Structures are given as C-alpha cells and as structure tokens.
C-alpha cells in the first residue's frame, strides 16, 4: 500500500531542477519516481520540465540568485542524503522480513511428507 507523504515546501536549487529535468527527458524516467527521489512534488518536476522545454536552462535558474546561500545548498544536499538513507533503511527492513518469511516457508515445506 502506497502512503502519500506531505512534502515540506522548500526552495529548489538550479542543480536539483536540472537533475530532475535530465532524468525525465534524457533518461525517460517516471516523473513521480524522480520527484520522490529528490524530495519534491510531482507538480514541481512537471513544471520544471515544461519550463526547460520552453526556456532552456535559463528558465530553471532562480529569479533571485542571492536567495540560496552555499550553506542552504549544502543543507538541502544533506537532507536529500538523509531522505535516501531512511528510504534504504526501510527497504532493508522489508528485505529482512522477506528473508524470514522465505525461511519459514522453506522449513514448512521440508516438514510435509
């Protein structure tokens, strides 16, 4: 079952937008999956792709370049790593449970005559 999480509103960097657009256009990746990976909404990714198609890379640049300092960019990068880390931890837990499930079923099948 897919549980939709409400994403916090935050500023995106040019690099994040360009990465998302590149993944969607050049690598033909699903917009929803790219959005989940970078921690932004699907609508944001859709808008970035449209803007890129109309205005190129300059359309993705912030209207106010001083808005994002180097510290904020680094913080955003670290948050992205944190999100990916927790997603991977969830996947590991699911795989562990699946291993236990398989082992139990294997043991049951050996016990049957």
């Amino acid at each position: 079952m897919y549980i939709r999480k409400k994403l916090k509103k935050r500023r995106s960097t040019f690099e994040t937008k360009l990465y998302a657009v590149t993944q969607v256009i050049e690598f033909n990746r699903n917009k929803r999956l790219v959005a989940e990976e970078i921690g932004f909404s699907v609508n944001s990714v859709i808008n970035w792709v449209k803007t890129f198609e109309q205005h190129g890379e300059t359309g993705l640049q912030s209207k106010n370049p001083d808005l994002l300092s180097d510290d904020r960019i680094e913080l955003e990068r670290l948050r992205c790593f944190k999100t990916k880390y927790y997603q991977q931890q969830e996947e590991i837990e699911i795989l562990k449970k699946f291993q236990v499930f398989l082992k139990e079923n294997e043991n049951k099948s050996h016990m049957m005559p």
Side-chain angles (χ1 to χ4, degrees), residues 13-74:
T13 63
F14 169 74
E15 290 80 13
T16 303
K17 293 176 186 179
L18 188 60
Y19 172 79
V21 169
T22 303
Q23 292 296 308
V24 172
I25 293 175
E26 288 186 23
F27 298 107
N28 202 27
R29 287 193 55 206
N30 182 289
K31 292 176 184 115
R32 182 183 57 79
L33 295 177
V34 172
E36 286 177 4
E37 178 183 329
I38 62 173
F40 284 88
S41 71
V42 179
N43 288 335
S44 293
V45 174
I46 291 169
N47 290 334
W48 298 338
V49 170
K50 286 180 186 177
T51 302
F52 180 81
E53 288 172 342
Q54 293 173 352
H55 305 287
E57 286 186 17
T58 55
L60 299 178
Q61 293 175 346
S62 175
K63 309 290 185 256
N64 184 356
D66 297 329
L67 198 55
L68 290 175
S69 69
D70 289 340
D71 291 337
R72 282 188 175 180
I73 292 170
E74 181 66 11

Side-chain angles (χ1 to χ4, degrees), residues 5 7 10 15-16 19-20 23 29 32-40 75-93:
K5 297 177 185 175
L7 301 174
R10 61 184 179 151
E15 290 80 13
T16 303
Y19 172 79
Q23 292 296 308
R29 287 193 55 206
R32 182 183 57 79
L33 295 177
V34 172
E36 286 177 4
E37 178 183 329
I38 62 173
F40 284 88
L75 186 59
E76 181 177 339
R77 190 179 72 81
L78 292 173
R79 283 185 182 139
C80 194
F81 280 128
K82 182 180 175 182
T83 302
K84 288 179 185 178
Y85 171 79
Y86 285 119
Q87 287 173 345
Q88 288 177 343
Q89 290 300 317
E90 288 178 17
E91 290 173 8
I92 289 170
E93 289 302 315

Side-chain angles (χ1 to χ4, degrees), residues 1-15:
M1 182 166 109
Y2 176 73
I3 298 173
R4 188 174 184 172
K5 297 177 185 175
K6 183 161 175 93
L7 301 174
K8 294 180 183 177
K9 186 165 179 108
R10 61 184 179 151
R11 289 267 177 208
S12 55
T13 63
F14 169 74
E15 290 80 13

